[in-house]
């Protein structure tokens, strides 16, 4: 089925829009490299300034007094210093905004029923988004076979986030050991079977198989974790990197102190403004 780029209307993630990964009938290799990126961290584009050597009026000579030249040099230096200072201020302001993208949702403990309801609301929104971009989405963001009793967790820019606590009666290390807890999660991807919208395949697949037979390996996967702090965390990587149902996650050992499994990746605060707004709006209703 041919896949072409749709207008990038939303889901701008690390310079990549989920809509930009959209496809339709025909050749799957028709999407340009500019539309899909498998890089996890955001790269900063570098704009090369072109040099202009305009040597007009070389046949004429203008005599300038030394004091005039000196004044021009001072004025130029002053302008450069002012511009540099403005850029530093803007950079600092952008970094401050990056460090605290949310903050309107009070952190509290949610019941299992509230978790299910809130994550289902977000899933409904995600399904609509996936359909617009001819992508597939699943809420099966964590799956594993037999494992120890320790908690499953992920690493974010803001610290560890608890994903699953096997034994709620034991602290391994337990709810209070984390500042952030995932109330749910979704995974966006381009389906190898041309499924758009909600995909049942991940829940029906074998654990060992993971996403390997479900996802079109030519396109990156987008994993979202829905934090109880009102922030959506995201990891963008290839199916080879995080294709297992437990890929990109860690797990504590039986004592709840050592880590039996160390995460290989860090989830970033998602650049998807629409997703952030939607998740905040949902939690404000609880």
């Amino acid at each position: 089925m041919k896949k072409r780029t749709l207008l990038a209307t939303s889901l701008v993630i690390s310079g990549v829009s989920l809509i930009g990964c959209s496809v339709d009938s025909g050749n799957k290799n028709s999407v340009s490299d500019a539309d899909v990126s498998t890089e996890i961290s955001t790269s900063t584009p570098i704009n090369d300034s072109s040099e202009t050597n305009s040597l007009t009026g070389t046949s004429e000579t203008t005599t300038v007094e030394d004091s005039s030249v000196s004044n021009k040099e001072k004025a130029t230096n002053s302008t450069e210093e002012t511009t540099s200072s403005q850029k530093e201020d803007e950079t600092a302001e952008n970094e401050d905004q990056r460090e605290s993208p949310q903050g309107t949702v009070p952190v509290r403990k949610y019941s299992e029923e509230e978790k299910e309801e809130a994550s289902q609301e977000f899933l409904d929104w995600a399904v609509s988004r996936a359909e617009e971009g001819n992508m597939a989405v699943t809420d099966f963001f964590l799956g594993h076979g037999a494992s120890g009793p320790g908690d499953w967790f992920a690493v974010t820019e803001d610290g560890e986030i608890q994903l699953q606590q096997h034994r709620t009666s034991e602290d391994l290390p337990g709810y209070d050991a984390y500042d952030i807890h995932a109330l749910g999660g979704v995974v966006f991807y381009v389906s190898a079977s041309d499924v758009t919208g909600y995909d049942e395949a991940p829940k029906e697949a074998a654990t060992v198989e993971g996403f390997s037979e479900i996802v079109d390996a030519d396109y990156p996967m987008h994993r979202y974790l829905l934090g109880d702090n009102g922030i959506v965390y995201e990891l963008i990587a290839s199916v080879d990197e995080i294709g297992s149902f437990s890929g990109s996650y860690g797990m504590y050992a039986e004592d709840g102190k050592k880590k039996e499994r160390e995460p290989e990746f860090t989830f970033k605060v998602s650049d998807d403004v629409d997703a952030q707004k939607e998740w905040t709006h949902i939690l404000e209703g609880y």
Side-chain angles (χ1 to χ4, degrees), residues 29-103:
N29 295 324
S30 65
V31 179
S32 67
D33 294 337
D35 294 302
V36 179
S37 170
T38 56
E39 292 182 357
I40 300 171
S41 29
T42 303
S43 59
T44 304
I46 300 175
N47 296 321
D48 296 326
S49 58
S50 60
E51 295 182 356
T52 304
N53 297 321
S54 178
L55 301 178
T56 59
T58 53
S59 60
E60 299 179 1
T61 302
T62 303
T63 304
V64 182
E65 296 181 359
D66 292 342
S67 60
S68 176
V69 173
S70 177
N71 289 336
K72 288 182 179 180
E73 290 177 349
K74 290 180 180 179
T76 300
N77 292 336
S78 177
T79 301
E80 290 176 349
E81 290 175 0
T82 301
T83 303
S84 176
S85 177
Q86 290 175 342
K87 289 182 178 180
E88 290 176 359
D89 291 342
E90 290 175 358
T91 300
E93 182 179 353
N94 291 335
E95 288 178 351
D96 290 340
Q97 292 176 350
R98 176 66 172 166
E99 290 173 0
S100 56
Q102 305 293 322

Side-chain angles (χ1 to χ4, degrees), residues 7-13 15-22 35 135 222:
L7 291 177
T9 57
S10 51
L11 269 174
V12 178
I13 311 117
V16 180
S17 169
L18 282 181
I19 305 301
C21 297
S22 60
D35 294 302
M135 296 187 71
H222 301 255

Side-chain angles (χ1 to χ4, degrees), residues 104-155:
T104 59
V105 179
V107 177
R108 68 175 181 82
K109 193 168 186 177
Y110 292 80
S111 66
E112 290 302 316
E113 183 179 358
E114 288 175 324
K115 289 180 184 179
E116 292 179 7
E117 290 179 355
S119 58
Q120 182 61 52
E121 286 186 54
F122 188 86
L123 177 62
D124 293 340
W125 173 86
V127 169
S128 176
R129 173 64 67 83
E131 290 172 345
E132 291 178 12
N134 285 347
M135 296 187 71
V137 65
T138 179
D139 55 340
F140 195 61
F141 70 100
L142 169 63
H144 52 77
S147 64
D151 297 353
W152 281 87
F153 69 98
V155 174

Side-chain angles (χ1 to χ4, degrees), residues 76-252:
T76 300
N77 292 336
S78 177
T79 301
E80 290 176 349
E81 290 175 0
T82 301
T83 303
S84 176
S85 177
Q86 290 175 342
K87 289 182 178 180
E88 290 176 359
D89 291 342
E90 290 175 358
T91 300
E93 182 179 353
N94 291 335
E95 288 178 351
D96 290 340
Q97 292 176 350
R98 176 66 172 166
E99 290 173 0
S100 56
Q102 305 293 322
T104 59
V105 179
V107 177
R108 68 175 181 82
K109 193 168 186 177
Y110 292 80
S111 66
E112 290 302 316
E113 183 179 358
E114 288 175 324
K115 289 180 184 179
E116 292 179 7
E117 290 179 355
S119 58
Q120 182 61 52
E121 286 186 54
F122 188 86
L123 177 62
D124 293 340
W125 173 86
V127 169
S128 176
R129 173 64 67 83
E131 290 172 345
E132 291 178 12
N134 285 347
M135 296 187 71
V137 65
T138 179
D139 55 340
F140 195 61
F141 70 100
L142 169 63
H144 52 77
S147 64
D151 297 353
W152 281 87
F153 69 98
V155 174
T156 76
E157 292 180 312
D158 298 325
E160 292 182 359
I161 179 171
Q162 185 187 47
L163 303 179
Q164 186 182 72
Q165 185 173 348
H166 278 307
R167 299 180 181 177
T168 56
S169 60
E170 298 182 50
D171 294 334
L172 302 172
Y175 181 91
D176 294 333
Y178 306 86
D179 291 329
I180 320 168
H181 312 81
L183 303 185
V186 298
V187 185
F188 285 96
Y189 52 91
V190 175
S191 169
S193 303
D194 301 315
V195 175
T196 58
Y198 188 74
D199 191 0
E200 294 282 357
K203 292 183 177 180
E204 299 172 352
T207 302
V208 177
E209 178 185 273
F211 284 97
S212 61
E213 301 298 323
I214 300 170
V215 175
D216 187 331
D218 290 336
Y219 303 93
M221 298 172 63
H222 301 255
R223 282 191 167 174
Y224 282 17
L225 297 178
L226 310 176
D228 59 357
N229 58 353
I231 298 177
V232 177
Y233 296 96
E234 180 181 12
L235 174 63
I236 307 173
S238 69
V239 66
D240 291 334
E241 293 171 315
I242 59 170
S244 71
F245 292 140
S246 59
S248 72
Y249 304 134
M251 183 180 70
Y252 274 93

